[in-house]
């Protein structure tokens, strides 16, 4: 008798176990976080895209991390730039802006005001950053770039932050503003103090702001006294601010000083970090760096242009957009925000949102659909973005061309990032190369 197959008894279905616990909420604003904030931002995007947190300064604020929410928030007129709208407790008073700007009477600038004053002041200074004006400034940027590389090219090593990325935009913006060459090293010292103390003791920054304010007041007074009746071609920006009027309303000296101050402050540190972060990203992605060097050697500019945009998206110079304050209750990403609450848009998180960018954690210098938020969005879009792009493209192209075997001189794990809230940048970037 042959064996017949017996019907099988179905195995009992496994009982569903408990759902896996979500990863614990990351700790924000530690030194480890500063080195690589992107895993924490990925957690926030998924689990708490509009998240209220206490900042190291003691201020409580909402962090907006998804791209769609970020873009909406940056353009929402219910979110004011004016700190007067902050419903701030006593322990947080005066801790939402640049240290020392209140006492130095430097508050009336584009980062702290709303329309119609913002519209008036921006129109008065926007002529300095037109594509034509920036293009006219390109030879000076190339001259500064080559001169700085000349100072260390023969040595075989350098700290690219302090010897290159930092002085280049300082001297460029000083030239554009009309700061005499003999005074520019003072500005370099004051700006250096402002960078070194980001996230640390506030006194050093405030002292530098006070010195800068005093100098700008004196310089504006001197230029006003010597201003010719008619504008001359290529007139510096401070002279243009003094001369500028809108429907007959001239800038006050306080407004002119505040505008010069914020153009200097915002115009140098973003570019320091663009050059520093961008060079670091290229040195740690040799395949992408080789593509760019081959493109430059062939005399092409397209990959350089798209590459700088990708570097701005991938690890940009501005981590969080500057402060905004709700003027009325509103909802962002399903979260209710009360009037008086501070809101910070996390540009670094939005620009790695997989809902907007394919493979967001991959550096791809040829990325085309790249509408990143690295320079903001809406009426507060960075006024100096064309100049920053020019400086970034010039700096990176010249470095890779003149020092083709540029390489890191330190383990990436040993590098330290500055601990400030708004900006993201390296403290140092040691490199080696064959002496030129």
């Amino acid at each position: 008798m042959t064996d017949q197959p017996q019907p099988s008894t179905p195995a009992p279905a496994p009982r569903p176990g408990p759902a896996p616990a979500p990863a614990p909420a990351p700790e924000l604003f530690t030194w480890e976080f500063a080195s690589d904030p992107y895993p924490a931002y990925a957690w926030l995007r998924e689990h708490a895209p509009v998240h209220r947190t206490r900042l190291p300064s003691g201020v409580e604020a909402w962090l907006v991390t998804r791209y769609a929410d970020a873009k909406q928030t940056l353009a929402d007129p219910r979110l004011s730039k004016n700190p007067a709208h902050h419903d701030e407790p006593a322990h947080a008073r005066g801790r939402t802006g640049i240290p020392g700007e209140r006492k130095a009477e430097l508050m009336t600038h584009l980062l702290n005001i709303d329309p119609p004053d913002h519209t008036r002041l921006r129109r008065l200074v926007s002529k300095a950053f037109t594509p034509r004006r920036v293009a006219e400034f390109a030879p000076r940027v190339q001259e500064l770039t080559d001169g700085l590389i000349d100072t260390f090219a023969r040595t075989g090593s350098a700290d690219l932050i302090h010897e290159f990325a930092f002085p280049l935009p300082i001297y460029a913006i000083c030239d554009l503003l009309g700061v005499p060459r003999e005074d520019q090293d003072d500005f370099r010292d004051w700006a250096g103090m402002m960078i070194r103390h980001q996230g640390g003791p506030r006194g050093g920054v405030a002292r530098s702001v006070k010195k800068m304010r005093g100098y700008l007041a004196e310089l504006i007074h001197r230029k006003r006294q010597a201003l010719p009746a008619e504008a001359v071609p290529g007139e510096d920006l401070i002279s243009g601010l003094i001369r500028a009027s809108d429907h007959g309303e001239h800038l006050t000296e306080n407004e002119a000083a505040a505008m010069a101050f914020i153009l200097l402050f915002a115009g140098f540190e973003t570019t320091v970090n663009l050059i520093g972060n961008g060079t670091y990203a290229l040195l740690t992605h040799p395949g992408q760096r080789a593509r760019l060097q081959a493109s430059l050697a062939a005399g092409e500019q397209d990959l350089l242009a798209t590459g700088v945009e990708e570097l701005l998206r991938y690890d940009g110079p501005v981590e969080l957009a500057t402060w905004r304050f709700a003027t009325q209750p509103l909802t962002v990403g399903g979260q209710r925000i009360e009037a008086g609450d501070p809101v910070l848009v996390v540009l670094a998180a939005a620009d790695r949102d997989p809902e907007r960018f394919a493979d967001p954690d991959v550096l791809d210098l040829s990325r085309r659909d790249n509408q990143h938020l690295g320079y903001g969005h809406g009426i507060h879009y960075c006024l100096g973005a064309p100049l920053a792009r020019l400086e970034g493209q010039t700096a990176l192209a010249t470095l890779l061309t003149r020092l083709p075997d540029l390489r890191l001189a330190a383990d990436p794990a040993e590098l330290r990032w500055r601990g400030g809230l708004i900006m993201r940048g390296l403290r140092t970037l040691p490199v080696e190369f064959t002496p030129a």
Side-chain angles (χ1 to χ4, degrees):
M1 181 175 178
T2 59
D3 292 335
Q4 296 295 321
Q6 300 297 312
S8 60
T9 302
R15 292 184 179 181
E27 191 174 357
L28 305 179
F29 309 117
T30 64
W31 288 112
E32 293 77 14
F33 169 85
S35 296
D36 183 10
Y38 296 102
Y41 289 149
W43 189 96
L44 288 176
R45 276 196 312 267
E46 182 175 355
H47 299 285
V50 181
H51 174 65
R52 188 174 176 89
T53 189
R54 183 180 291 274
L55 305 173
S57 64
V59 177
E60 290 192 4
W62 293 98
L63 302 181
V64 179
T65 55
R66 288 180 179 169
Y67 182 91
D69 294 337
K71 196 169 182 181
Q72 169 200 328
T73 302
L74 291 171
D76 195 322
R78 296 170 296 177
L79 289 163
S80 170
K81 298 292 291 176
N82 189 340
H85 291 289
H86 183 196
D87 184 17
E88 54 186 343
H91 72 272
R93 192 154 295 143
R95 296 185 180 183
T96 59
I98 300 168
E101 65 177 355
R102 294 184 188 226
K103 289 184 178 179
E105 297 183 329
L106 290 171
M107 293 288 289
T108 312
H109 57 66
L110 292 176
L111 296 185
N112 284 340
I113 57 176
D114 304 314
D117 287 336
H118 175 271
T119 308
R120 175 178 65 91
L121 294 182
R122 187 176 176 105
R123 182 160 57 240
L124 293 179
V125 297
S126 61
K127 64 183 71 175
F129 298 100
T130 62
R132 177 181 176 182
R133 183 74 183 271
V134 169
E136 291 171 350
F137 199 55
R140 176 58 178 157
V141 173
Q142 186 66 62
E143 179 186 4
L144 287 168
T145 301
D146 284 323
L148 289 168
I149 294 177
D150 287 343
T151 63
F152 58 78
R154 294 183 179 87
T155 66
S157 65
D159 173 3
L160 282 187
I161 300 299
H162 293 285
E163 297 178 65
F164 183 64
F166 175 66
L168 172 59
I170 281 287
Y171 292 140
I173 197 68
C174 280
D175 277 356
L176 199 64
L177 285 169
V179 176
R181 299 279 171 90
E182 62 270 20
D183 296 340
Q184 291 184 7
D185 284 337
D186 287 336
F187 266 81
R188 180 175 175 171
D189 291 343
W190 297 331
M193 179 67 70
M194 294 167 80
I195 276 192
R196 284 193 295 274
H197 285 265
Q198 288 282 327
R202 298 171 68 84
V205 181
R207 284 192 296 273
S208 295
V209 170
K210 185 177 180 181
K211 290 177 181 178
M212 200 176 287
R213 171 67 172 92
Y215 175 83
L216 287 172
E218 179 186 344
L219 181 62
I220 289 169
H221 180 72
R222 291 204 315 263
K223 285 183 177 289
R224 191 185 295 277
Q225 297 291 92
L227 198 67
E230 299 294 331
V232 297
E235 186 172 65
D236 66 74
L237 183 52
I238 289 180
S239 295
L241 288 174
I242 295 168
R243 189 188 302 282
S245 64
D246 186 19
H247 304 294
E249 182 183 358
H250 289 270
L251 287 173
T252 67
E253 287 208 359
N254 270 353
E255 286 177 329
M259 288 297 300
F261 165 73
I262 202 59
L263 290 171
L264 177 76
F265 182 82
F268 88 87
E269 193 172 1
T270 52
T271 309
V272 174
N273 296 343
L274 168 57
I275 297 170
N277 298 3
T279 303
Y280 175 70
L282 292 173
L283 294 181
T284 51
H285 293 78
Q288 294 294 307
R289 174 252 189 93
R291 288 180 64 198
L292 181 54
Q293 284 182 298
S295 174
L296 292 170
E300 300 166 356
Q301 295 296 309
D302 186 60
L303 191 61
L304 176 64
T306 60
V308 166
E309 298 309 305
E310 174 69 345
L311 293 169
L312 284 163
R313 181 202 69 82
Y314 179 78
D315 198 9
V318 184
E319 190 166 343
L320 282 76
T322 49
W323 296 86
R324 284 165 169 78
F325 308 95
T327 59
Q328 62 188 75
L330 69 152
T331 300
V332 177
Q335 179 66 59
R336 181 179 171 87
I337 294 172
E338 300 296 341
D341 283 357
V343 177
L344 291 165
V345 175
V346 187
L347 304 177
D351 280 342
R352 295 251 192 139
D353 188 343
E355 293 294 318
R356 177 59 185 83
F357 300 99
D359 299 319
D361 295 323
V362 173
L363 180 69
D364 178 6
L365 299 185
S366 60
R367 189 185 295 268
R368 291 288 177 180
D369 181 18
N370 197 358
Q371 297 179 35
H372 63 78
L373 301 176
Y375 283 127
H377 174 69
I379 64 170
H380 291 282
Y381 182 83
C382 178
L383 187 67
L387 178 61
R389 287 186 167 99
L390 168 67
E391 292 173 343
Q393 290 182 17
T394 304
L396 293 172
T398 309
L399 270 179
L400 294 179
T401 301
R402 292 190 55 182
L403 307 174
D405 64 346
L406 190 71
R407 57 195 177 273
L408 277 176
D411 187 315
E414 297 174 357
L415 297 178
R416 293 292 175 263
W417 297 77
R418 291 194 300 275
L421 181 66
I422 301 298
M423 301 291 183
R424 172 165 172 78
L426 286 160
R427 291 177 178 269
T428 61
L429 184 56
V431 294
E432 296 173 336
F433 47 85
T434 300

